Amino acid sequence: MNILITAGGTTERIDNVRTITNSSTGKLGSAIAEAFAGAAHLPVEKIYYLCGLNAVTPASEQSGTTSIIRIGSVNELIEKLSEILATQKINVVIHSMAVSDYTVDSLTTKSNMAASMTRFIKDSGQTGDLSPETFTSGMLQAAFSGNGNLSSENKISSDIEDMVIVMKKTPKVISLIKKLQPHTLLIGFKLLSNVSLETLLDTAYSLLLKNGCDLVLANDLAEITPLKHKGYLIDRHKSYEEFHTKAQIAEGIVKRVGSILTRGNEES
Amino acid sequence: MNILITAGGTTERIDNVRTITNSSTGKLGSAIAEAFAGAAHLPVEKIYYLCGLNAVTPASEQSGTTSIIRIGSVNELIEKLSEILATQKINVVIHSMAVSDYTVDSLTTKSNMAASMTRFIKDSGQTGDLSPETFTSGMLQAAFSGNGNLSSENKISSDIEDMVIVMKKTPKVISLIKKLQPHTLLIGFKLLSNVSLETLLDTAYSLLLKNGCDLVLANDLAEITPLKHKGYLIDRHKSYEEFHTKAQIAEGIVKRVGSILTRGNEES
């Protein structure tokens, strides 16, 4: 069987030297890869390990079963993931990567925005005729579409007084997986911060239903320390198992995947 | 003698999981640390190595001469650097870290901005009486100071349609160094992207004059590849030496520092 694991965080480019990064170490993804590589009862042939630029990599890299593929932006992740899912039979996808929800749409400065807005007033000359909502909408559109937008092709000069970064949504990577390989076993991840267990489980279960996941690992930043990592592995019946360390989560996922595959996907 | 080296890039926090990073590997800083640690003719006692969260560290870490101090934000850099310069005699400061020129001021969304701007029009009710410039300035201030600003304390929900990040200038770290230790030998770094040699040298020389540097290493992103690294080491007379690899730059800096220190700072 072939496994695809995503791990670590994505990196979106602001300019040549500045990036917006989802700061995930990739340690959980790496523990999962090692648990699969070491699972005696599962015939693992190949692990495709797509990970962020600074993510740690599993020791199974040395044995040759694991191919490490470094990923920068969300677009790069979509490209590589789609390529693998379109050309290889993948039995299990573990999507643990912290994927940026946003990418850079445009860069500007407050003074560029002010200039564009002033020009908008002068050009339209009809302030009084518009409703405050319509007028505001025009002003804001002018503010963000002025010619004054900075170029992100080179390094932005550090002489600029302030910088306004407009971010737009990225496509939801997890939603692509079952579309490309409907019969793969999909394990999603949901990381929230400082929420109740109920909210965490509900949000994770919504993710499961929405994207056709077989299992979702729910975790909360407030319950992750260097030594502990609380995780809740939720299934399609909304029952869940609780784990307390990365190693436990990794072993738990491998065990559960093994039993689902053995029973011929009866759970799903 | 004691040496302080800054290397790698800083990391500014957007929220619990997202950061803006200056993507420097720290390889040049690390090569410089190793060159100093291995310089037989220089009595190096201690190297304070302040580096970014993902920066590589010099092999001299093992020998005990080098203390590695990891740095996140620009504020953290200022704090650690000031502490060391205020309490230790530092003979040489090599400031090669890629320090973010901006830190996050506030976070908002386009719809929050629109709501604040509309409220501003309704509250002021005097659109026609103001000049376009004054009116725009009020609108923009309203847009960025609305109560709708997102909290950065936790992870920002991924349900938000867009995200507008306002960045403000950080203090110039290099300008603090000679204020805290006037007699230290200071080597600044200037990285530009795709400029002429003349512009590069002029910009680096301005940095030298402005901050009381003894030397500045000027380099251009377009001239840096995994195998080559062009660098120009400029002195107070605006003459410069040219190097072609990180190792050459590191050796060149050590040699130059050695000769300045031997001649009792006569160059400066």
Side-chain angles (χ1 to χ4, degrees), chain A residues 120-122 124-132 135, chain B residues 121 127-128 135:
Chain A
F120 172 80
I121 298 179
K122 290 181 176 165
S124 67
Q126 48 174 348
T127 318
D129 304 341
L130 299 171
S131 75
F135 180 67
Chain B
I121 298 179
T127 319
F135 180 68

Side-chain angles (χ1 to χ4, degrees), chain B residues 1 3 35-36 39-44 91-92 94 185 187 215 233 241 250-267:
Chain B
M1 60 188 273
I3 297 173
F36 271 106
H41 59 293
L42 286 178
V44 175
N91 307 76
V92 185
I94 317 269
L185 202 152
I187 299 167
L215 300 165
L233 189 61
E241 279 181 274
E251 289 303 331
I253 288 176
V254 170
K255 205 175 140 198
R256 197 64 183 273
V257 165
S259 80
I260 295 179
L261 292 177
T262 314
R263 280 179 289 162
N265 270 2
E266 78 176 44
E267 266 201 50

Side-chain angles (χ1 to χ4, degrees), chain A residues 18 102 158 160 163 167 169, chain B residues 101-102 158 160 163 169:
Chain A
R18 299 180 183 97
Y102 304 96
S158 47
I160 293 165
M163 190 158 73
M167 311 282 292
K169 277 255 174 159
Chain B
D101 298 307
Y102 304 95
S158 48
I160 293 164
M163 190 159 74
K169 276 255 173 158

